[in-house]
């Protein structure tokens, strides 16, 4: 999604980043910026990936200190940690280097 | 190299970045910071990868506007562009999030 909507020099981003992982992280970042709650199912549909894959990646992000999850009834709300926000901001700056 | 010398949370970096590509870029960045000329053979030995692989990656970085190469006799000197420096600085900041 993030990578697909770019033209021309987006190849530079693909050289450096693992696309799906960054798409998941940045989907959370953009939604959190808008003050919205983020759910695994939402991310899965946004990036066109299986729920199980997104669930696994979110778990890894949690282990890496980038996100935290809050159980709400039968679903999980995913939020970036302070560290997750800082990392996402730096990635956003790198993305802007390639799309400007 | 960059990733290997980290402990604990380095997994977070491996989640997001293509390791070898980032190691090549950051090797150029660190050497340029020290005011040194960087050659493909030097990078290959530093990151323990074949000369042919590093050569290919440097070519892709050049296409992405991250590096420029200067022919000097029979060798190539590799230098980061302004864009390459900015991208490397952001990556360095992300690395620091994971090693502190």
């Amino acid at each position: 999604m993030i990578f697909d909507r770019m033209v021309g020099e987006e190849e530079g981003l693909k050289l450096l980043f693992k696309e799906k992982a960054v798409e998941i992280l940045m989907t959370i970042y953009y939604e959190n910026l808008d003050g919205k709650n983020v759910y695994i199912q939402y991310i899965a549909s946004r990036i066109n990936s299986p729920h199980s894959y997104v669930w696994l990646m979110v778990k890894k992000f949690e282990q890496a200190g980038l996100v935290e999850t809050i159980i709400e009834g039968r679903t999980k709300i995913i939020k970036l940690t302070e560290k997750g926000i800082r990392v996402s901001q730096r990635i956003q700056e790198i993305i802007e280097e390639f799309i400007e």
Side-chain angles (χ1 to χ4, degrees), chain A:
Chain A
M1 177 198 60
I2 296 161
F3 292 82
D4 290 348
R5 68 170 179 247
M6 295 169 191
V7 286
E9 293 194 295
E10 84 278 23
E11 289 302 321
L13 287 171
K14 291 185 185 178
L15 278 178
L16 298 170
F17 288 116
K18 289 181 181 165
E19 291 171 61
K20 280 292 175 189
V22 170
E23 285 186 355
I24 292 170
L25 189 73
M26 298 312 282
T27 298
I28 303 166
Y29 175 66
Y30 298 141
E31 293 297 308
N32 279 184
L33 269 186
D34 286 346
K36 292 180 190 154
N37 283 341
V38 186
Y39 305 92
I40 286 172
Q41 191 54 56
Y42 173 80
I43 303 170
S45 66
R46 284 285 286 177
I47 71 161
N48 202 23
S49 289
H51 185 285
S52 57
Y53 173 76
V54 176
W55 186 87
L56 182 69
M57 290 303 293
V58 166
K59 203 171 151 187
K60 287 182 179 178
F61 284 156
E62 198 168 12
Q63 285 161 355
L66 294 170
V67 307
E68 54 190 10
T69 57
I70 303 147
I71 306 288
E72 193 198 51
R74 287 171 62 184
T75 56
K76 260 187 186 173
I77 298 175
I78 305 149
K79 266 191 67 167
L80 290 181
T81 60
E82 288 301 315
K83 173 176 165 177
I85 292 169
R86 290 193 300 269
V87 168
S88 300
Q89 285 168 338
R90 298 296 86 74
I91 292 175
Q92 178 62 30
E93 288 164 359
I94 294 172
I95 290 171
E96 284 165 13
E97 287 289 338
F98 287 96
I99 55 174
E100 67 189 0

